[in-house]
Amino acid sequence: MEEKWVRAIVLLVLVSGWYCSCCCGCLEEERIALLNLKHSIPPPTDYVLASWGGHGDCCNWVGIECNITTKRVFQLSLNYTRGWDVEGWYMNSSLFSPLEELKSLFLTGNSIFGFMKNEGLEKLSSLSNLEVLDLSNNQLNNSILSSSLASLSSLKVLNLAGNQMEGSLHVLGNLLHNITN
């Protein structure tokens, strides 16, 4: 009889462990970082951010993909979350820092006008896995072409199309020598 109880307890522990590993989803620090990011984006926003909230698994939120093993966010797609024709905003890049395994960041068409002082693209350099950064169709100008881009050493793809760049962009070649693709 005792052996039957031991088996039942072992089975219960195994099942509850499996259940938790499937339901718990993203890491708490990343969920909090994503919620902080959501609250930093001024309205109007679309359905993407409407799915972000509460205590839910952020791996199931729209625009987010997580590594099934580590439960870390590896792709964040916020394309046209705000729309291109609304008032521009200054993004705080340090809000992405907790997303340690982030490989792809898509921010197309969000009326990003620039970056908060001391919170620019150089803050993304802590993301050692970041390979794709899409900032196309925003309202960025040549000020983005500072040395902060050079600090993104893992970057392979940078999309700045459809912004408000003017004049000669020869400085871009010097800053993006690490980009191979």
Side-chain angles (χ1 to χ4, degrees), residues 51-63:
S51 75
W52 295 21
H55 299 285
D57 176 3
C58 67
C59 292
N60 292 325
W61 296 350
V62 175

Side-chain angles (χ1 to χ4, degrees), residues 1-9:
M1 186 73 161
E2 189 174 308
E3 186 178 321
K4 194 175 194 177
W5 281 108
V6 170
R7 284 185 184 174
I9 291 171

Side-chain angles (χ1 to χ4, degrees), residues 64-109:
I64 296 173
E65 291 190 42
C66 295
N67 179 309
I68 59 172
T69 304
T70 65
K71 307 294 186 196
R72 288 196 169 274
V73 175
F74 73 85
Q75 181 170 300
L76 184 54
S77 300
L78 295 175
N79 293 337
Y80 298 98
T81 299
R82 293 195 66 233
W84 194 88
D85 58 344
V86 297
E87 184 178 329
W89 64 287
Y90 290 88
M91 189 173 77
N92 181 347
S93 294
S94 66
L95 294 174
F96 297 99
S97 295
L99 307 177
E100 294 176 7
E101 287 187 20
L102 191 64
K103 284 187 169 190
S104 302
L105 178 57
F106 298 97
L107 296 167
T108 298

Side-chain angles (χ1 to χ4, degrees), residues 78-181:
L78 295 175
N79 293 337
Y80 298 98
T81 299
R82 293 195 66 233
W84 194 88
D85 58 344
V86 297
E87 184 178 329
W89 64 287
Y90 290 88
M91 189 173 77
N92 181 347
S93 294
S94 66
L95 294 174
F96 297 99
S97 295
L99 307 177
E100 294 176 7
E101 287 187 20
L102 191 64
K103 284 187 169 190
S104 302
L105 178 57
F106 298 97
L107 296 167
T108 298
N110 284 300
S111 296
I112 299 171
F113 200 72
F115 301 92
M116 294 178 68
K117 188 174 183 177
N118 300 320
E119 302 297 337
L121 286 178
E122 68 278 357
K123 294 296 182 179
L124 295 180
S125 66
S126 67
L127 302 175
S128 59
N129 295 312
L130 188 64
E131 296 178 353
V132 177
L133 178 58
D134 188 345
L135 293 167
S136 60
N137 297 320
N138 281 289
Q139 297 178 23
L140 298 168
N141 60 31
N142 293 38
S143 67
I144 194 174
L145 302 176
S146 68
S147 60
S148 61
L149 283 175
S151 66
L152 304 176
S153 60
S154 60
L155 209 58
K156 294 180 180 176
V157 176
L158 174 65
N159 189 350
L160 294 173
N163 280 285
Q164 298 175 356
M165 307 290 182
E166 295 179 354
S168 174
L169 300 180
H170 69 277
V171 69
L172 190 59
N174 296 332
L175 294 173
L176 300 178
H177 66 278
N178 292 324
I179 296 181
T180 58
N181 296 331

Side-chain angles (χ1 to χ4, degrees), residues 14-49:
L14 289 173
V15 168
S16 64
W18 172 81
Y19 177 75
C20 284
S21 71
C22 292
C23 70
C24 297
C26 67
L27 301 177
E28 182 67 8
E29 72 180 81
E30 293 193 350
R31 188 183 68 76
I32 290 169
L34 290 166
L35 289 174
N36 287 337
L37 176 63
K38 173 185 178 178
H39 295 299
S40 77
I41 300 173
T45 58
D46 71 357
Y47 74 95
V48 170
L49 295 181

